[in-house]
Amino acid sequence: MTDVRITHIGGPTALIEFEGWCLLTDPTFDPPGRRYGFGWGSASTKVAGPAVAVAELPPVDAVLLTHDHHADNLDDAGRALLPEADNVITTVAGGRRLGGSAVGLSPWSIYSLEKPGSPALKITATPCRHGPPLSRPITGEVAGFALEWQGQEESALWISGDTVLSSDVREVATRLDVGTVLLHLGAVQFPITGRLRYTMAGPDGVELCELLRAQTVIPVHYEGWSHFTQGRSAIEEAFAVAAPEVRAALLWLELGIPKTVEV
């Protein structure tokens, strides 16, 4: 087991620190108030700013970027800090768009990082589907990331990424032993597409967690933007009727406050 310090900065953005490693997920640091277009007539307004400023971040070893083409996962201020990170890990399409030293991973491919004094870090890209069936040509490529390191091979730390609950995502539970998950929820919807959802709702998260059997489930990316249709209360209602072990695994992080989690 390893003590991992996790700071939920807001939206999908989290700082993950352990064994000398410092990782940042989906950097979003713009101030609130701006409306961003996501293409095909969809848009969202950022309604909350980051709980930690860019200037307060420690040196970042790697940015784990689930996708680069939606501003709620990479906004202007987040994009500006990418060159300061030693590594940027993202999707294949994102790697092409970002260029430079960005590394694009296809689903189930693996990338390893090493640094003196820290255990080698194995990063496995996991599949996502950011919308209903056949929506990938419109919504684009998205990835999740599973982190494993020496002594931690049987209890991965998984960032789900923006996704609905699909057969590919369920496969994570059969291919990986997940101890802790940063679970992207929020049940994203847009007026132009009606009842179609683009990320998991609370009941979807419960179903996935019943398959994963993770010991810690940390909701992220359910607040801070106008396109979320489910916040904390709706997620809590869904988990309240889950199996006892799933209810017990749910852990809310106070924005901006580091929390040490045993992974």
Side-chain angles (χ1 to χ4, degrees):
M1 305 293 283
T2 303
D3 285 342
V4 177
R5 192 166 83 156
I6 303 174
T7 308
H8 186 194
I9 294 172
T13 310
L15 189 66
I16 302 171
E17 300 170 276
F18 62 94
E19 301 280 2
W21 288 105
C22 181
L23 312 175
L24 184 68
T25 67
D26 287 353
T28 54
F29 290 91
D30 283 358
R34 179 176 164 189
R35 184 172 174 83
Y36 299 79
F38 293 156
W40 298 84
S42 62
S44 183
T45 299
K46 188 171 187 179
V47 297
V52 176
V54 170
E56 299 176 282
L57 294 175
V60 173
D61 295 304
V63 170
L64 304 176
L65 180 58
T66 66
H67 57 303
D68 69 304
H69 54 283
H70 292 156
D72 62 323
N73 296 84
L74 182 67
D75 58 18
D76 291 344
R79 191 177 295 271
L81 70 78
L82 293 183
E84 301 176 18
D86 291 338
N87 303 274
V88 177
I89 315 299
T90 188
T91 63
V92 172
R96 288 196 298 263
R97 284 188 292 262
L98 293 172
S101 60
V103 175
L105 300 182
S106 57
W108 298 116
S109 60
I110 294 170
Y111 190 75
S112 296
L113 294 177
E114 296 185 359
K115 64 180 291 189
S118 295
L121 180 59
K122 173 184 170 184
I123 303 171
T124 302
T126 60
C128 294
R129 196 184 77 207
H130 198 1
L134 306 179
S135 64
R136 189 169 284 113
I138 297 173
T139 58
E141 290 183 22
V142 182
F145 299 104
L147 310 179
E148 299 169 277
W149 55 95
Q150 186 176 2
Q152 205 63 38
E153 294 87 354
E154 296 182 359
S155 183
L157 171 60
W158 180 43
I159 299 101
S160 73
D162 285 6
T163 186
V164 297
L165 184 56
S166 67
S167 58
D168 286 345
V169 175
R170 289 185 180 93
E171 189 181 359
V172 172
T174 65
R175 295 185 60 157
L176 295 173
D177 292 316
V178 175
T180 299
V181 54
L182 272 62
L183 192 63
H184 290 217
L185 293 169
V188 165
Q189 291 180 312
F190 299 101
I192 194 170
T193 52
R195 297 173 64 85
L196 295 177
R197 283 204 305 263
Y198 295 86
T199 60
M200 286 186 284
D204 303 316
V206 168
E207 181 180 341
L208 178 58
C209 290
E210 287 175 343
L211 297 173
L212 291 172
R213 299 182 180 180
Q215 66 181 20
T216 306
V217 177
I218 301 172
V220 297
H221 212 20
Y222 60 89
E223 46 68 47
W225 292 81
S226 64
H227 61 334
F228 293 125
T229 66
Q230 287 191 355
R232 176 168 175 167
S233 61
I235 296 167
E236 287 179 330
E237 288 177 10
F239 276 80
V241 296
E245 61 272 18
V246 174
R247 292 200 306 270
L250 188 64
L251 175 65
W252 296 96
L253 299 188
E254 184 177 351
L255 291 175
I257 305 300
K259 176 73 172 179
T260 298
V261 178
E262 193 176 67
V263 175

